[in-house]
């Protein structure tokens, strides 16, 4: 244990020296458990270098002004040992740390963050930097963890982190690249797959357009929309690459489709219900998004050949729980959705999770600018377009989720995330896929 604490201390010192080269005085917030022990090892190392170290424990009287005298604060209160709500002394200490305005570096996790679930307790620490001991835990990469951890880095302590926290895997570029085969010179659109998008209820053609655009940018050969009859002409005029027909039209090429996408702008009236029933009754591989998930929640069933793409509110409806319960343990919700409904579940949000088979996959990319209308339609279209090209539901979900998030990051490169449009992200899909494959 001493060797691990020593390696942790050395790694923290390298990071802090790099980030704060003028460091003179360090504030160490120390708890009673293993995190506090690591902080004490760090204090000893720093004192040997001549850095002035201030130790602060829960219940100490030092106020925010006293903490403001420090150049940097190290959060060593509670790391992996969080069990239940924070006690008053810990909440008060965290409040003073925030009020000081000093940069905060958390050891393994910001105090108050559950590393197994991504749930943040009321009053949790908001760190500027989080240094993982041996590797990132899933709770730091999804849900509230994305907001509480700040910038993250990993410190090698000579052994892997506890298996109990490894509840998801993050695939690398090589893994993702292997999912799409190179295209031969003789390729034609029929080889690139046909996708039928079912949605676009009265007054809502935009969602279908975004999904179709994303599918094309993901490489689909032909995208055909089945929409409300009043929207077919509007959609065809706005997006000439996408053929559009009324859902009841005999011209809609259901039989030629390698995959369906059901739900973008579908609606919740009688027309939408009938369109949902028609699509699900075909027995084809499909992605279910948006209002398709609404209809599924009203008549639950399990299938092996679909991908469900709910956000937390839709997941709550599908599971019959509250949105807060889903947010409190996103990994468990994703796994339960997949168990109950079959196929693959993509639980959207900060740190999107992909549940399918025996492994839970996590996407660490994306940004707050992606919280805007139509972004889910672009993700669903990306996944469905990859399925139409022959990828399995799990492969399409994994690759589509990562490509979509990276396209969002590329779209805000060099600028603020505020003001990002879903169509901006769709426009970057081709570049991201090209970089991978």
């Amino acid at each position: 244990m001493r060797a691990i604490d020593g390696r942790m201390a050395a790694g923290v010192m390298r990071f802090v020296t790099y980030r704060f080269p003028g460091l003179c005085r360090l504030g160490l917030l120390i708890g009673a458990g293993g995190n506090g022990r690591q902080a004490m090892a760090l204090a000893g190392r720093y004192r040997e270098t001549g850095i002035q170290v201030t130790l602060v424990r829960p219940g100490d009287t030092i106020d925010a002004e006293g903490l403001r005298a420090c150049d940097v604060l190290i959060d060593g209160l509670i790391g992996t040992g969080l069990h239940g709500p924070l006690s008053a002394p810990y909440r008060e200490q965290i409040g003073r740390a925030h009020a000081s305005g000093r940069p905060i570096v958390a050891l393994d996790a910001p105090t108050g963050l559950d590393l197994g679930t991504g749930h943040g307790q009321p009053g949790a620490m908001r760190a500027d930097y989080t240094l993982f001991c041996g590797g990132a835990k899933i709770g730091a990469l999804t849900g509230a963890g994305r907001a509480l951890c700040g910038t993250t880095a990993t410190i090698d302590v000579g052994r892997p982190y506890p298996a109990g926290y490894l509840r998801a895997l993050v695939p690398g570029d090589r893994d993702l690249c292997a999912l799409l085969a190179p295209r031969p010179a003789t390729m034609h659109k029929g080889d690139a797959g046909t996708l039928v998008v079912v949605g676009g209820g009265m007054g809502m053609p935009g969602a279908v357009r975004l999904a179709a655009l994303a599918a094309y940018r993901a490489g689909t050969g032909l995208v055909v929309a089945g929409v409300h009859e009043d929207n077919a002409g509007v959609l065809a005029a706005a997006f000439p690459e996408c053929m559009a027909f009324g859902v009841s039209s005999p011209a809609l090429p259901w039989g030629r489709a390698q995959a369906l996408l059901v739900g973008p702008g579908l609606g919740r009236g009688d027309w939408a219900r009938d369109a949902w029933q028609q699509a699900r009754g075909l027995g084809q591989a499909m992605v279910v998004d948006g209002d398709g998930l609404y209809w599924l929640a009203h008549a639950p069933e399990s299938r092996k050949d679909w991908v469900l793409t709910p956000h937390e509110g839709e997941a709550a409806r599908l599971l019959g729980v509250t949105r807060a319960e889903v947010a409190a343990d996103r990994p468990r919700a994703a796994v339960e959705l997949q168990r109950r409904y079959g196929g693959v579940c993509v639980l959207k949000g900060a740190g999107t999770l992909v549940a399918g088979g025996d492994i839970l996959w996590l996407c660490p990319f994306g940004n707050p600018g992606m919280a805007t209308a139509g972004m889910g339609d672009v993700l669903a279209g990306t996944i469905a377009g990859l399925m139409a090209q022959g990828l399995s539901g799990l492969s399409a979900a994994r690759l589509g989720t990562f490509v979509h998030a990276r396209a969002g990051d590329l779209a805000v490169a060099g600028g603020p995330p505020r003001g990002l449009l879903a169509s901006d992200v769709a426009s970057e899909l081709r570049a991201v896929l090209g970089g991978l494959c």
Side-chain angles (χ1 to χ4, degrees), residues 206-207 209-215 217-218 261 264 289 348 370 373-385 400 403-404 407 421-429:
R209 183 186 186 282
L210 286 169
L213 174 62
R217 292 298 187 189
L261 167 54
D289 183 55
K348 298 183 290 194
M370 299 176 75
M375 206 63 69
D377 301 314
V378 172
L379 173 61
T382 303
I383 295 172
V403 167
H404 175 260
L421 297 179
S423 55
D424 297 334
V425 175
S427 296
E428 299 293 352
L429 291 171

Side-chain angles (χ1 to χ4, degrees), residues 113-121 138-139 142-144 164 167 312 315-316 319 321-337 347 350-351 353 360:
L113 173 65
D114 188 319
L115 288 175
T117 67
H119 176 63
Q121 292 290 343
I138 187 173
T142 193
R167 297 178 60 189
E312 289 181 356
L319 292 174
V321 299
T322 66
R323 183 168 189 158
E325 288 175 287
V326 173
D329 195 339
R330 285 172 50 82
R332 178 188 234 173
V335 170
E336 177 59 21
L337 282 165
L347 181 56
L353 297 166
L360 186 64

Side-chain angles (χ1 to χ4, degrees), residues 55-427:
L55 302 181
V56 185
R57 293 179 172 83
D60 286 355
T61 58
I62 185 169
D63 59 12
E65 191 61 35
L67 294 176
R68 196 170 291 125
C70 301
D71 299 308
V72 179
L73 301 179
I74 302 292
D75 174 15
L77 292 170
I78 304 176
T80 61
L82 178 70
H83 301 290
L86 295 169
S87 64
Y90 279 83
R91 293 198 306 271
E92 291 166 2
Q93 188 62 265
I94 292 170
R96 288 193 286 268
H98 290 158
S100 74
R102 296 293 85 193
I104 298 171
V105 179
L107 302 183
D108 234 6
T111 296
L113 173 65
D114 188 319
L115 288 175
T117 67
H119 176 63
Q121 292 290 343
M125 185 76 79
R126 299 186 305 275
D128 297 285
Y129 304 93
T130 297
L131 305 182
F132 302 130
C133 179
K137 288 76 172 175
I138 187 173
L141 301 175
T142 193
R146 288 288 296 271
L148 296 176
C149 285
T151 301
T152 62
T154 297
I155 294 173
D156 182 6
V157 295
R159 75 175 189 182
Y161 45 102
Y165 289 104
L166 183 59
R167 297 178 60 189
L169 296 179
V170 179
D173 287 359
R174 182 176 297 179
D175 300 321
L176 297 174
C177 181
L179 298 176
L180 269 187
R183 288 190 166 185
T186 56
M187 190 87 172
H188 60 80
K189 69 179 181 182
D191 298 327
T194 297
L195 172 69
V196 171
V197 182
V198 180
M202 178 72 78
M204 296 186 289
V208 171
R209 183 186 186 282
L210 286 169
L213 174 62
Y216 270 127
R217 292 298 187 189
T220 308
L222 176 65
V223 182
V224 184
V227 298
H228 191 282
E229 287 72 11
D230 290 350
N231 287 333
V234 173
L235 183 60
F239 190 11
E241 294 90 347
C242 179
M243 300 171 64
F245 303 98
V247 166
S248 59
S249 171
L252 196 62
W254 298 106
R256 286 168 42 202
Q258 280 71 48
L260 306 179
L261 167 54
V262 186
L266 183 64
R268 300 181 180 182
D270 292 344
W271 177 90
R273 182 197 59 233
D274 293 345
W276 160 252
Q277 295 288 4
Q278 183 177 357
R280 62 170 287 279
L282 295 171
Q284 290 174 281
M286 68 170 68
V287 175
V288 184
D289 183 55
D291 287 327
L293 297 169
Y294 169 85
W295 291 108
L296 176 60
H298 280 70
E301 63 177 300
S302 177
R303 284 176 52 166
K304 295 180 179 179
D305 60 348
W306 61 17
V307 176
L308 311 182
T309 57
H311 55 54
E312 289 181 356
E314 292 162 339
R317 182 183 293 114
L318 288 165
L319 292 174
V321 299
T322 66
R323 183 168 189 158
E325 288 175 287
V326 173
D329 195 339
R330 285 172 50 82
R332 178 188 234 173
V335 170
E336 177 59 21
L337 282 165
Q338 194 278 331
R339 185 198 68 79
R340 191 176 299 187
Y341 290 92
V344 179
C345 172
V346 178
L347 181 56
K348 298 183 290 194
T352 292
L353 297 166
V354 179
D358 298 325
I359 297 177
L360 186 64
W361 302 89
L362 185 145
C363 178
F365 307 109
N367 60 80
M370 299 176 75
T372 188
M375 206 63 69
D377 301 314
V378 172
L379 173 61
T382 303
I383 295 172
L386 293 169
M387 287 177 64
Q389 294 173 68
L391 272 69
S392 69
L394 180 57
S395 293
R398 287 173 53 204
L399 180 58
T401 297
F402 278 70
V403 167
H404 175 260
R406 284 179 166 176
D409 290 341
L410 182 59
V412 299
R418 193 184 303 273
L420 183 68
L421 297 179
S423 55
D424 297 334
V425 175
S427 296

